[in-house]
Amino acid sequence: MHQSVLGRWHQFSEPLEGRVLSMYLDVKGLVTTGVGNLIDPVGAALGLPWKLPDGTFASKDEIREQWLVLKGRQDLSRLHWKYAAGLTTIRLTDADIDALVIDKLHENERALRKAYPNWDDFPADAQLGCLSMAWAVGAGFPAI
């Protein structure tokens, strides 16, 4: 991926997705965090460095419990993420979200490289567009 794409990703995607330190439900009722990062099923949430209000790391049981509380409130999928934030106390830091987003971006790029063997020859804007599509609908979109 062009360095310019990597360097501008946050500026490009955050106005579209937002940036949320807590868990929330997307419009499909899937548990999400960060910059539109799905953490559904719960196993995806368990691997993240969630912190309690005192700054200590949340246990896997605490993460699972709060995830399940939120997942059980499907009515919140139609509301702003701030409504869901009141149901949970665990949070990610901005640095945690940056790492999560970059990891997902590279994961999507690996999938796109398989669909587009000449990926490195794509102009930066084309890579940005493809990565944005992968973010929104999944990296398998070229096969559809």
Side-chain angles (χ1 to χ4, degrees), residues 47-112:
L48 296 177
W50 296 99
K51 285 132 199 114
L52 296 167
D54 66 3
T56 61
F57 286 102
S59 70
K60 293 202 183 302
D61 286 341
E62 290 167 319
I63 297 166
R64 184 178 292 106
E65 178 183 313
Q66 292 192 32
W67 188 97
L68 288 168
V69 165
L70 183 57
K71 186 69 172 180
R73 289 292 309 273
Q74 289 295 303
D75 59 303
L76 296 176
S77 67
R78 296 176 298 279
L79 301 175
H80 193 272
W81 66 264
K82 290 180 181 180
Y83 289 90
L87 294 179
T88 62
T89 60
I90 57 176
R91 301 291 184 264
L92 296 173
T93 65
D94 280 314
D96 297 332
I97 289 177
D98 288 345
L100 176 63
V101 166
I102 295 302
D103 286 350
K104 184 63 176 180
L105 189 62
H106 286 298
E107 178 185 322
N108 285 344
E109 183 189 31
R110 284 190 295 277
L112 291 170

Side-chain angles (χ1 to χ4, degrees), residues 8-9 15 21 28 32 38 43 56 58 72 80 87 93 98-99 109 112 120 129 132 141 144:
R8 304 279 255 147
W9 181 257
L21 304 179
K28 293 182 179 180
T32 306
L38 290 178
T56 61
H80 193 272
L87 294 179
T93 65
D98 288 345
E109 183 189 31
L112 291 170
D120 290 327
S132 182
F141 80 87
I144 298 172

